[in-house]
Amino acid sequence: MTEADSKPALSPRDASMPRHVAIIMDGNGRWATKHGLPRAVGHRNGVEAVRRTVRASIELGIPYLTLYSFSSENWSRPADEIDDLMGLMKRFIRRDLAELHHNGVKILVIGERGNVDPELMALIDEAVELTRDNKAITLIIAFNYGARAEIAKAARLLAERVLAGTMQPSEINVDTLGAALDTAGIPDPDLLVRTSGELRISNFLLWQCAYTEFVFLDAFWPDFGRELLEEAIARYRARERRFGGRSKRSVV
């Protein structure tokens, strides 16, 4: 029996499957450089990887998928690259929205609205509204997103409620702050995957990933698809999640 044959089959009905997978989609530019192509081609191939990953997540029965598509720090990139990324986002929505809706994908977008092209923002709002009642999978797109800014915004919101007299300082706790985040109502990620071999989470879901399992893959994002998603999930399933408690394997 080969190593591949010995891997347990992934089943959507398996309770050990992650409920929420978050992915830092990294390496489009380096993939392009490796193949002697412009960075823009890497980004376009990265969109194809998004399509493969959404389809695979639906097939595997993953209820929540979060993709880090554009961070608030990405504005420091060259203007032509930013324009290309924004154009790709527009084309993705225009081309794929009907299929995503048909397949039962509910789209949510987290992050800041400031600095975003109004035309793109209108397309995002349209996608969110159209798919709001879908049930097959919730696709959360972290766009113009930064976790520190998200936490600061939540803290500011709670402070404003205290000043307005609608909340007592003693009511501020883990639950109330979590409910003020962009991800309110969404379960924390069970598994976070980062491609490209980098070993950091780059200001992504810092609050939500307190007990998330991390898997770092050497592959660049344009090469990602069902096979690598299953590899990451297999690593996740091989771990024991204790959430600060004692190992079930412990006998003392």
Side-chain angles (χ1 to χ4, degrees):
M1 179 180 291
T2 67
E3 182 180 353
D5 292 333
S6 65
K7 291 181 180 178
L10 297 182
S11 167
R13 296 177 298 277
D14 193 327
S16 68
M17 289 284 287
R19 187 181 181 201
H20 183 177
V21 176
I23 304 179
I24 300 174
M25 306 180 294
D26 193 18
N28 289 344
R30 279 168 285 172
W31 179 92
T33 299
K34 176 183 174 181
H35 291 86
L37 298 168
R39 289 179 65 88
V41 177
H43 292 312
R44 288 197 289 273
N45 279 271
V47 173
E48 291 299 325
V50 169
R51 295 185 177 108
R52 292 193 298 269
T53 303
V54 172
R55 285 195 297 266
S57 298
I58 294 172
E59 292 165 359
L60 293 169
I62 296 169
Y64 297 89
L65 174 67
T66 298
L67 301 177
Y68 201 7
S69 68
F70 189 85
S71 82
S72 52
E73 286 78 24
N74 287 155
W75 292 108
S76 63
R77 295 188 177 188
D80 58 344
E81 183 173 358
I82 292 174
D83 289 344
D84 186 61
L85 289 168
M86 297 299 153
L88 281 173
M89 184 73 166
K90 290 178 185 177
R91 289 193 292 276
F92 174 74
I93 295 174
R94 287 173 175 145
R95 172 180 167 179
D96 291 68
L97 180 57
E99 180 180 352
L100 292 169
H101 182 45
H102 175 76
N103 291 332
V105 178
K106 177 179 180 177
I107 298 173
L108 296 176
V109 178
I110 60 174
E112 298 298 313
R113 299 174 70 94
N115 299 324
V116 179
D117 175 9
E119 180 186 0
L120 175 54
M121 205 67 247
L123 287 171
I124 289 172
D125 290 341
E126 177 188 347
V128 170
E129 178 61 27
L130 177 66
T131 64
R132 62 185 303 173
D133 296 322
N134 291 342
K135 305 294 184 184
I137 185 174
T138 299
L139 173 62
I140 304 107
I141 300 173
F143 181 77
N144 195 21
Y145 172 86
R148 287 180 172 179
E150 177 192 26
I151 295 168
K153 182 175 66 175
R156 186 166 58 249
L157 175 63
L158 297 186
E160 290 169 353
R161 291 174 181 172
V162 170
L163 284 173
T166 60
M167 186 177 206
Q168 295 299 315
S170 59
E171 295 178 283
I172 298 176
N173 53 39
V174 170
D175 292 332
T176 54
L177 197 149
L181 296 173
D182 291 352
T183 54
I186 300 168
D188 291 342
D190 300 297
L191 168 64
L192 183 145
V193 181
R194 181 171 187 151
T195 56
S196 86
E198 301 292 350
L199 305 178
R200 58 182 179 273
I201 60 173
S202 298
N203 199 21
F204 181 49
L205 300 178
L206 298 179
W207 177 278
Q208 298 87 342
C209 284
Y211 285 100
T212 299
E213 296 292 333
F214 295 173
V215 171
F216 299 101
L217 299 174
D218 290 332
F220 296 131
W221 176 247
D223 292 325
F224 198 86
R226 177 161 181 157
E227 183 177 354
L228 287 172
L229 178 60
E230 289 189 344
E231 177 184 332
I233 292 172
R235 293 193 198 180
Y236 163 85
R237 295 173 74 200
R239 300 176 185 175
E240 182 184 6
R241 303 183 74 197
R242 298 190 296 276
F243 300 97
R246 178 182 290 183
S247 170
K248 295 178 181 178
R249 303 187 185 103
S250 176
V251 296
V252 295

